[in-house]
């Protein structure tokens, strides 16, 4: 039996780990929401690890509001960098493997082909900078770490693009969706299962890996596929736009190469197939 701590357990990704964790009979979980464990409270983290024994720490706690991060830089860095680094220190001291999640926004979007793990990083917004700082702090203090850079996460849980589009369809809204960013929608359920499958089969992977679903899309493509497959395309006025005003600058291209992850850990679904599977399950 492997004992696993999951932080940020009530967030989108944490909820997916909670949903799928029960399917693994040889894994035991301690789910901690941000209220139950504030990873930026270092004394609280120390107390937990001194009272419990874990084999893995899945850190799903994060500051994820890309827009607010522009005006809350200190808070974003406190959670995504300082707290992640401290958690890594505690994991190292207790011989616990740390699994952490980063973002495609560590890149500036200047490439025109999928980003490799070894490509130069150059975040163009505060969120991306805070996540990159977290990556660096983790890799400096713990050898037994696994960092997944992911992109455009969605699921049936929390606030995300998938849920927003379905809500707007129910409201019969008019939608103007940008075509200027190219990336890959990633089903958070797939990421959670990928991590848990790796733990179950004793994967020895360490370091930084890219994980998103296969293929690429614009946000307009993503919205159109949600509406088409759910049968709600006629409920909205869907329009393409080349302009979308945001506080935070976004990379125009952030498709991630998954070759390393597929070769060393396991297969990954196409984004359309994964989206359709989720719609079949929850819509």
């Amino acid at each position: 039996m492997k004992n696993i701590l999951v932080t940020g357990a009530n967030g989108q990704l944490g909820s997916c780990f909670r949903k799928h964790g029960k399917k693994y009979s040889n894994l035991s979980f301690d789910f901690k929401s941000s209220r139950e464990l504030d990873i930026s409270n270092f004394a609280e983290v120390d107390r937990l690890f001194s009272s419990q024994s874990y084999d893995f720490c899945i850190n799903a706690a994060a500051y994820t509001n890309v827009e607010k991060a522009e005006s809350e830089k200190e808070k974003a860095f406190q959670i995504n960098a300082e707290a992640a680094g401290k958690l890594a220190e505690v994991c190292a001291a207790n011989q616990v493997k740390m699994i952490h999640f980063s973002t495609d926004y560590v890149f500036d979007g200047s490439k025109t082909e999928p980003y490799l793990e070894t490509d130069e990083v150059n975040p163009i917004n505060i969120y991306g900078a805070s996540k990159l700082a977290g990556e660096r702090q983790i890799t400096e203090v713990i050898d037994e770490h696994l960092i997944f850079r992911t992109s455009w996460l969605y699921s049936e849980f929390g606030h995300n693009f998938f849920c927003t589009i379905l809500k707007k369809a129910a409201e019969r809204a008019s939608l103007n969706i940008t075509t200027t960013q190219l990336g890959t929608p990633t089903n958070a359920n797939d990421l959670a299962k990928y991590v848990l499958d790796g733990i179950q089969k004793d994967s020895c992977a360490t370091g930084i890996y890219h994980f998103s679903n296969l293929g690429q899309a614009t946000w307009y493509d993503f919205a159109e596929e949600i509406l088409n497959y759910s049968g709600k395309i006629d409920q909205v006025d869907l329009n393409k736009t080349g302009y979308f005003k945001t506080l935070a600058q976004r990379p125009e291209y952030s498709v991630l190469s998954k070759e390393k992850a597929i070769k060393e850990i396991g297969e990954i679904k196409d984004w359309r197939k994964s989206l359709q599977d989720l719609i079949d399950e929850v819509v």
Side-chain angles (χ1 to χ4, degrees), residues 9-261:
N10 287 353
Q12 175 177 210
L13 186 54
S15 295
C16 290
F17 278 109
R18 194 188 292 272
K19 171 184 173 182
H20 296 287
K22 63 188 72 172
K23 302 170 187 175
Y24 297 79
S25 59
N26 65 328
L27 305 182
S28 175
F29 295 90
D30 185 6
F31 292 101
K32 297 291 187 186
S33 69
S34 57
R35 287 187 178 182
E36 294 167 321
L37 178 67
D38 177 2
I39 65 167
S40 63
N41 185 327
F42 300 156
E44 195 176 327
V45 172
D46 283 331
R47 281 195 299 272
L48 177 64
F49 276 77
S50 65
S51 64
Q52 301 290 334
S53 178
Y54 301 113
D55 299 297
F56 295 86
C57 172
I58 297 175
N59 182 33
Y63 182 104
T64 59
N65 193 317
V66 178
E67 289 292 277
K68 274 192 174 181
E70 294 298 304
S71 59
E72 295 183 348
K73 180 178 179 180
E74 184 176 342
K75 186 175 180 181
F77 271 82
Q78 180 187 37
I79 297 170
N80 291 342
E82 295 166 29
K86 171 61 178 179
L87 191 58
E89 286 181 16
V90 175
C91 285
N94 290 273
Q95 297 182 307
V96 176
K97 185 169 184 176
M98 182 172 179
I99 301 175
H100 181 76
F101 305 94
S102 189
T103 175
D104 57 327
Y105 284 9
V106 300
F107 299 113
D108 61 15
S110 60
K111 279 190 77 174
T112 55
E113 59 185 21
Y115 277 96
L116 303 171
E117 288 83 352
T118 52
D119 281 333
E120 181 181 358
V121 288
N122 183 35
I124 56 177
N125 57 46
I126 297 299
Y127 170 71
S130 71
K131 295 298 284 184
L132 177 59
E135 287 186 12
R136 288 173 169 166
Q137 291 206 28
I138 291 166
T139 56
E140 285 173 5
V141 301
I142 183 170
D143 293 330
E144 282 294 301
H145 68 267
L146 189 53
I147 297 172
F148 287 100
R149 290 178 182 150
T150 190
S151 66
W152 299 20
L153 274 184
Y154 71 92
S155 69
E156 70 270 41
F157 302 110
H159 302 286
N160 57 71
F161 190 81
F162 172 77
C163 292
T164 297
I165 294 298
L166 290 177
K167 180 174 180 288
K168 293 296 183 183
E171 296 169 355
R172 298 188 174 272
S174 177
L175 297 173
N176 297 313
I177 308 294
T178 183
T179 59
T180 59
Q181 296 169 46
L182 196 63
T184 308
T186 304
N187 187 336
N189 289 282
D190 287 359
L191 178 52
K193 288 186 287 186
Y194 198 75
V195 170
L196 296 176
D197 284 347
I199 292 174
Q200 185 180 52
K201 68 183 183 183
D202 294 317
S203 169
C204 58
T206 58
I208 295 175
Y209 289 80
H210 289 170
F211 182 97
S212 62
N213 287 114
L214 300 182
Q216 62 185 38
T218 66
W219 288 105
Y220 178 88
D221 296 332
F222 188 17
E224 186 177 47
E225 187 70 12
I226 294 168
L227 294 167
N228 270 327
Y229 195 78
S230 64
K232 300 178 186 296
I233 191 70
D234 294 330
Q235 293 179 207
V236 300
D237 176 22
L238 181 64
N239 304 290
K240 296 180 180 179
T241 180
Y243 175 75
F244 184 65
K245 185 177 181 180
T246 60
L247 289 172
Q249 189 177 357
R250 263 78 164 176
E252 289 189 1
Y253 182 91
S254 63
V255 179
L256 301 172
S257 170
K258 276 74 68 173
E259 289 182 13
K260 179 182 175 184

